[in-house]
Amino acid sequence: MVDVLPLVEARLRSALGEPDARAAVTFLGTDRIEVLRFRSEDIVRYATLGMSAQPMSDPTAVIADPVKGPRAELVLSVRGGLADTDKALRPLAVLAASPQVEGVIVAPGASLDVGEPLWPGAPFSSVLVAEPGGLVEDLVLDEPLDPVRFLPLLPMTANEAAWKRVHGAQALQERWLTNGTDLRDPSRKSVPLE
């Protein structure tokens, strides 16, 4: 078996530069999850490292396949200096551990909720998983392994999360686009949903 994490970290470094900080969290019964912080001008990016070590498996499967299945890491981008977003490290690690802990497959269009603000004073406790490929390209692994996808996380207010459950991810993203919403603003208000 190939250790995918050094390859994943190399892909993150080639796309985002050198991380200026990293933190590790281990939850009982799970592999270690690291969160790397990258700074680029006024944008701070947090990327998980460890979620892709094992493939995500169908929660209804009797036995999890140790080789085949989707692999992913999470990437959160916010404007720096406007909030204490470094406190998002633990919530990001919780989200990255959810496939191991809860047996879920994290995919674009999904909502993930940590049940508390993503950082102190944040108006967000959940995120929308966006389509990969823009910021960090997929990491293709040797067959039969699935590629590692780097999934952007878009913070949602409670109202946006509720609206998304009714109308869908695409409708919420269109609403954000129509209103010129700055999804990187760590203290933004909810988009108008009327």
Side-chain angles (χ1 to χ4, degrees):
M1 283 295 293
V2 62
D3 183 3
V4 303
L5 295 185
L7 302 173
V8 169
E9 184 168 355
R11 176 56 55 92
L12 286 168
R13 286 173 185 265
S14 69
L16 304 176
E18 287 299 311
D20 70 343
R22 67 193 309 143
V25 180
T26 304
F27 302 100
L28 187 63
T30 67
D31 295 331
R32 175 175 138 136
I33 302 287
E34 288 189 84
V35 179
L36 310 181
R37 183 180 69 192
F38 301 87
R39 290 189 188 274
S40 170
E41 297 174 19
D42 68 332
I43 302 297
V44 180
R45 291 189 170 89
Y46 302 94
T48 63
L49 180 63
M51 182 177 170
S52 63
Q54 303 295 325
M56 294 180 273
S57 58
D58 183 344
T60 62
V62 176
I63 298 175
D65 190 323
V67 177
K68 292 199 62 67
R71 294 175 188 258
E73 295 291 351
L74 308 175
V75 181
L76 173 68
S77 300
V78 293
R79 296 206 179 283
L82 302 176
D84 189 8
T85 56
D86 281 351
K87 298 285 197 246
L89 299 177
R90 185 168 176 76
L92 284 174
V94 167
L95 296 177
S98 63
Q100 288 182 58
V101 175
E102 300 172 23
V104 297
I105 294 178
V106 177
S111 298
L112 303 174
D113 195 313
V114 293
E116 61 185 36
L118 291 173
W119 52 82
F124 322 105
S125 64
S126 62
V127 293
L128 174 65
V129 180
E131 290 291 334
L135 187 60
V136 184
E137 289 182 28
D138 291 354
L139 173 63
V140 178
L141 302 171
D142 293 337
E143 289 290 334
L145 303 179
D146 287 21
V148 177
R149 303 171 83 198
F150 297 88
L151 303 171
L153 300 180
L154 308 175
M156 294 187 292
T157 65
N159 286 345
E160 290 169 341
W163 197 84
K164 181 252 175 197
R165 281 192 293 277
V166 174
H167 299 281
Q170 184 64 37
L172 178 58
Q173 289 177 305
E174 288 171 9
R175 183 68 58 130
W176 283 334
L177 190 60
T178 301
N179 285 277
T181 305
D182 180 2
L183 296 173
R184 295 177 178 168
D185 180 351
S187 55
R188 72 172 179 84
K189 304 290 184 230
S190 184
V191 71
L193 300 170
E194 296 296 318

